[in-house]
């Protein structure tokens, strides 16, 4: 029988907090969708996490092959998508590419989800 009252209406309880404080306009929705699309792969999420937590603040693509358990070309593909979406920057050094996190890009995701930064 729960919260039912005889002869009166009971307002439904809100199930969750809104993702954003206001409605998104079309441009914001498109940008966020692209960001979430870039993050919508476990290998990319792990790569981003590994680079973000690298002790030196950067990682070589060669150091991501083993922890991601993917081939070097696959790792490079995922890293390229993260660079294109603005989550990482890439610097070529000889034969390898080194990656660094772009914290401001993660801040957009945090803001959209209503999560405060570290």
């Amino acid at each position: 029988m729960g919260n039912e009252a005889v002869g009166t209406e009971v307002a439904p309880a809100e199930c969750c907090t809104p993702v954003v404080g206001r409605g998104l306009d079309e441009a914001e929705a498109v940008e966020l969708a692209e960001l979430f699309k870039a993050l919508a792969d476990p290998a990319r999420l792990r790569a981003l996490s590994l680079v973000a937590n690298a002790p030196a603040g950067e990682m070589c693509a060669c150091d991501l092959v083993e922890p991601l358990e993917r081939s070097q070309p696959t790792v490079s593909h995922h890293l390229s998508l993260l660079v294109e979406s603005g989550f990482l920057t890439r610097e070529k050094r000889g034969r390898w590419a080194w990656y660094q996190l772009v914290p401001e890009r993660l801040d957009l995701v945090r803001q959209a989800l209503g999560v405060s930064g570290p």
Side-chain angles (χ1 to χ4, degrees):
M1 290 284 224
N3 292 353
E4 295 177 25
V6 178
T8 62
E9 286 187 35
V10 176
E14 287 192 38
C15 68
C16 54
T17 305
V19 174
V20 292
R22 59 174 176 70
L24 297 172
D25 66 27
E26 182 66 20
E28 292 168 325
V30 168
E31 181 180 12
L32 277 175
E34 290 299 316
L35 290 178
F36 289 131
K37 193 184 307 182
L39 296 176
D41 181 275
R44 286 194 290 277
L45 280 173
R46 291 189 63 218
L48 187 64
S49 173
L50 290 165
V51 173
N53 291 291
E58 63 182 3
M59 278 189 88
C60 177
C62 63
D63 294 326
L64 291 165
V65 171
E66 186 178 325
L68 294 178
E69 299 176 335
R70 306 288 196 283
S71 68
Q72 186 276 323
T74 299
V75 169
S76 291
H77 169 73
H78 286 302
L79 291 170
S80 290
L81 291 174
L82 290 169
V83 169
E84 288 172 18
S85 64
F87 285 107
L88 298 176
T89 60
R90 173 180 31 224
E91 180 185 336
K92 272 297 242 182
R93 296 184 198 159
R95 158 178 178 203
W96 292 105
W98 289 78
Y99 295 86
Q100 289 184 331
L101 179 70
V102 178
E104 299 80 18
R105 202 62 165 164
L106 277 185
D107 288 344
L108 287 176
V109 175
R110 283 189 188 107
Q111 289 169 4
L113 296 175
V115 178
S116 58

